[in-house]
Amino acid sequence: MWKLTVDPEKAPDKPEHFTISFHKGVPSKLEYTDNGKPKVATGAVELFTAANAIARRNGVGCIDILENRFIGIKSRGCYETPGLTMLHAAHIDIEGLTLDREVRALRDQFVTFNWSRILYNGGYFSPEREFLHASILESQKNVTGTVRCKVYK
């Protein structure tokens, strides 16, 4: 069923190490090895492509969930987001060290839930989304640093 990601049972039996640097909450550099050669990805597309390659070969980033649709029905959702899953985990770690706990609590209780609901319901161009976007940017102004990571199945 999965198209992008290797089955974790078939993923390498050796962990893979890499580092991700963030600037104001945005991934800015990915350092990794590819076939034993050190590599650095800095451009947005290059970084995301490299993150996808690392995560997918290690079986990371598959979810199979039951969703409540906007129109009132339930549906099965099977999603693959290998690179984004890896980047999100590193982002959570850097936020834990750099983000004020009260700002994080407000963001998690109010901003994240409403941002997701607005986007899911097609409200990208709404004033509510613009307000929440400004809140997210403000929360990320100090989220800068490097996270050392290891991925294994």
Side-chain angles (χ1 to χ4, degrees):
M1 171 169 69
W2 306 112
K3 302 284 185 194
L4 300 176
T5 310
V6 169
D7 183 331
E9 292 178 352
K10 296 177 182 171
D13 290 323
K14 183 179 175 188
E16 189 169 346
H17 299 266
F18 55 92
T19 61
I20 302 172
S21 298
F22 292 88
H23 179 71
K24 294 185 178 182
V26 177
S28 57
K29 182 167 68 169
L30 173 60
E31 298 174 80
Y32 62 104
T33 57
D34 189 14
N35 293 322
K37 297 178 183 177
K39 299 258 184 163
V40 177
T42 55
V45 173
E46 178 189 22
L47 192 149
F48 188 71
T49 302
N52 256 341
I54 293 167
R56 69 193 304 182
R57 70 175 161 251
N58 286 283
V60 172
C62 296
I63 60 169
D64 185 350
I65 59 175
L66 181 65
E67 299 177 286
N68 291 309
R69 293 288 180 182
F70 179 62
I71 58 173
I73 62 171
K74 296 193 182 293
S75 68
R76 181 181 185 189
C78 299
Y79 302 101
E80 290 181 274
T81 58
L84 191 55
T85 299
M86 185 177 93
L87 293 169
H88 184 250
H91 188 262
I92 288 171
D93 285 350
I94 194 72
E95 278 189 334
L97 296 171
T98 59
L99 193 60
D100 177 79
R101 75 177 184 170
E102 296 303 322
V103 170
R104 189 174 189 173
L106 281 170
R107 194 261 332 261
D108 291 347
Q109 293 168 13
F110 176 71
V111 176
T112 304
F113 170 76
N114 286 297
W115 174 268
S116 300
R117 182 182 52 78
I118 289 167
L119 292 183
Y120 187 82
N121 294 333
Y124 183 83
F125 296 104
S126 69
E128 301 90 342
R129 198 274 318 159
E130 291 176 4
F131 170 77
L132 293 174
H133 185 75
S135 299
I136 292 169
L137 292 177
E138 181 64 22
S139 76
Q140 298 298 298
K141 68 182 181 184
N142 294 320
V143 181
T144 298
T146 301
V147 181
R148 290 184 298 173
C149 305
K150 174 173 72 172
V151 65
Y152 180 69
K153 299 189 181 212

